[in-house]
Amino acid sequence: MKILILGSGAREYSIALALKNENKNLEFYFAPGNGATSNLGTNLEFSDLENLASFSKENSIDLCIVGSEDFLEKGVVDIFQKHGIDIFGPSKRAAMLESSKAFMKDFLKRNKIRTAAFGIFTDIKQASDFIKSLTPPIVVKADGLCAGKGVIIAKSHDEAITVASDMLSGKSFAQAGKTVVIEEFLDGFELSIFALSDGDDFVVLPATQDHKKLKDNDEGPNTGGMGAYAPSPLANDALLEEIKNDIIKPTLKAMKDEGNEFKGVLFAGLMIVNSKPYVLEFNVRFGDPECEVLMPLIENPLDLFLACTQKKLKNFNLKLKKDFAVAVVCASKNYPFSSSPKAEISIKSLPKNSHISYAGVSKEKEKLFASGGRVLVCVALASELKEARDLAYELCENVSFDGMQFRKDIAYQALR
């Protein structure tokens, strides 16, 4: 069976690794992939999505799995379906739940799904007036895709107005910031919930928790994510049931009723305030690094992807390991501010039940080099969360490259 995975990060590497561990006979292609995915399969160069779809048809690709949101915003699912290729992910219209925060917030409002109070603006005067009506801190979001960095939590009215002005002028995030969403700040704890849907039915994966800030104790700037763990003991059965009934089900039903049937991953970024879940954002693909802890916990990932693409989730039996997984991101020296010098990666050994998922790496003469912002992810599994965390950090200590940085407190909220 031939599988094409779209993206270039540790998320895509993790998907392939989980599938390969389940079935050694799968043949993988990556577009574009990274320096390490070439160890799992074949990296492809492509000029456009039509070209990539034609290649897939001509080479009998059996399944395409979309990792990156950029492909979804460009309508890759629509293009591949036109060519008759099975593809895992939502259509371009359905992907607007992520590609436009304004669309997403309006969707939540009209379908009465719990979220923070908000306003949507293209004019700085109107945005400023709304900002002054809120109590700091204040959340300012660029409408479009910004690689996970388009959300700013301003500590004062003046800062919020400056941030909004920079976005609307195009100074920050270019076209993606020409519309802004301004929200009240919600104080609670965050959860990431992933529901996989075939358009009619869905399954929910274990609750995860991401760590967005660069430094320990959730300090420093926002990043694409510095680590994650699953399942999170912060999500009890009652809370998970409420999330399913009050957020996941009505979202999927409303999307279908509005003519935007949703197939693929619905990633709900939630804030839990006084035991009540509020939607901070929707993404329409696996989170990164959440994917890195979810994939090794799923025992039958290939069947799961196929069931989603073939509308067979109704009686699907999701098989999960009874373990905890912890992922720690190792980033380059200047991340997230600027690029860093290329550095050779050295690995001493892998502790038991651990592995590395590679992201910003390049290959030269069979050696891997750190060449991106988030370079690699150290992942470990164990029957207890603390043991999984300790193993992940043991692996971190066995990895080195010039300027390597990582947080030392992943999973702290669950272990304190």
Side-chain angles (χ1 to χ4, degrees):
M1 186 176 190
K2 296 180 179 180
I3 297 176
L4 170 63
I5 300 176
L6 304 184
S8 61
R11 166 179 51 206
E12 291 75 30
Y13 188 98
S14 294
I15 291 170
L17 187 63
L19 292 170
K20 191 176 185 69
N21 287 338
E22 181 190 9
N23 186 337
K24 303 294 184 187
N25 296 318
L26 298 176
E27 185 176 345
F28 293 101
Y29 294 83
F30 300 88
N34 62 47
T37 55
S38 59
N39 295 330
L40 300 175
T42 303
N43 289 349
L44 301 176
E45 294 182 6
F46 61 97
S47 56
D48 55 54
L49 296 181
E50 285 285 354
N51 171 269
L52 190 58
S54 296
F55 169 90
S56 300
K57 190 72 172 177
E58 292 164 6
N59 289 272
S60 303
I61 296 294
D62 297 290
L63 174 65
C64 177
I65 299 171
V66 187
S68 166
E69 62 272 24
D70 292 334
F71 286 94
L72 296 169
E73 185 188 29
K74 293 172 182 174
V76 68
V77 171
D78 310 71
I79 293 169
F80 271 57
Q81 287 178 339
K82 183 179 68 177
H83 285 261
I85 304 164
D86 278 348
I87 183 166
F88 176 82
S91 68
K92 183 175 182 177
R93 283 286 305 168
M96 284 185 69
L97 278 178
E98 176 171 4
S99 62
S100 171
K101 294 182 180 68
F103 173 89
M104 181 267 294
K105 293 293 285 192
D106 278 339
F107 172 87
L108 293 171
K109 183 177 181 179
R110 67 176 172 268
N111 289 291
K112 298 179 173 57
I113 297 170
R114 197 181 294 118
T115 189
F118 70 97
I120 298 171
F121 304 95
T122 57
D123 176 77
I124 187 58
K125 173 66 168 62
Q126 294 175 350
S128 297
D129 290 343
F130 184 73
I131 286 169
K132 291 172 184 175
S133 73
L134 299 175
T135 301
I138 297 162
V139 183
V140 184
K141 299 180 177 180
D143 174 52
L145 296 177
C146 302
K149 301 179 183 70
V151 178
I152 307 296
I153 300 174
K155 297 178 181 178
S156 67
H157 291 113
D158 287 345
E159 183 186 358
I161 291 169
T162 298
V163 168
S165 179
D166 286 347
M167 289 183 184
L168 290 170
S169 69
K171 181 179 177 181
S172 298
F173 310 117
Q175 195 62 35
K178 288 302 184 79
T179 297
V180 297
V181 176
I182 297 169
E183 294 181 356
E184 68 170 335
F185 177 80
L186 296 176
D187 191 12
F189 66 87
E190 290 190 47
L191 277 182
S192 299
I193 299 293
F194 295 84
L196 275 67
S197 172
D198 64 4
D200 294 322
D201 298 290
F202 68 92
V203 296
V204 176
L205 301 182
T208 70
Q209 189 173 45
D210 185 15
H211 299 66
K212 285 290 186 188
K213 296 291 188 178
L214 180 67
K215 298 182 179 298
D216 291 358
N217 302 314
D218 292 325
E219 295 179 354
N222 269 350
T223 69
M226 294 301 292
Y229 68 96
S232 172
L234 300 174
N236 57 39
D237 290 343
L239 177 59
L240 290 173
E241 198 63 26
E242 184 171 0
I243 291 168
K244 287 181 189 178
N245 292 329
D246 292 358
I247 294 172
I248 305 299
K249 280 183 182 177
T251 295
L252 295 174
K253 181 180 184 303
M255 287 294 285
K256 188 169 186 176
D257 290 347
E258 294 180 8
N260 299 316
E261 182 183 72
F262 192 95
K263 297 172 70 174
V265 182
L266 180 66
F267 164 11
L270 308 176
M271 183 69 77
I272 313 303
V273 182
N274 297 324
S275 301
K276 290 292 182 184
Y278 289 74
V279 178
L280 293 178
E281 64 178 2
F282 280 133
N283 295 314
V284 296
R285 39 71 193 179
F286 282 110
D288 187 350
E290 293 98 332
C291 185
E292 287 88 300
V293 292
L294 288 172
M295 292 310 302
L297 293 176
I298 302 170
E299 294 185 335
N300 53 342
L302 180 58
D303 289 342
L304 177 57
F305 286 124
L306 291 173
C308 287
T309 58
Q310 299 170 1
K311 275 190 178 289
K312 294 181 179 179
L313 271 184
K314 189 172 184 66
N315 298 308
F316 183 77
N317 179 27
L318 176 64
K319 298 177 182 178
L320 296 169
K321 294 176 183 174
K322 295 181 179 179
D323 283 328
F324 290 89
V326 174
V328 182
V329 173
C330 296
S332 58
K333 179 180 180 180
N334 299 326
Y335 181 77
F337 304 106
S338 61
S339 60
S340 304
K342 189 180 293 187
E344 184 176 347
I345 299 169
S346 173
I347 302 168
K348 293 178 184 177
S349 62
L350 298 179
K352 63 177 182 177
N353 300 324
S354 73
H355 65 267
I356 295 172
S357 287
Y358 292 93
V361 299
S362 56
K363 183 191 280 188
E364 297 178 13
K365 296 180 181 179
E366 301 308 309
K367 292 182 178 180
L368 290 178
F369 288 80
S371 56
R374 292 188 295 170
V375 175
L376 56 84
V377 185
C378 294
V379 184
L381 275 68
S383 58
E384 299 293 335
L385 179 57
K386 184 179 183 302
E387 183 183 358
R389 184 199 62 179
D390 292 346
L391 284 171
Y393 278 113
E394 183 180 342
L395 178 53
C396 288
E397 296 299 331
N398 287 346
V399 175
S400 64
F401 56 87
D402 286 347
M404 186 176 89
Q405 60 169 323
F406 58 90
R407 281 184 57 159
K408 313 298 191 298
D409 65 345
I410 301 303
Y412 78 93
Q413 289 192 7
L415 291 172
R416 60 186 175 189

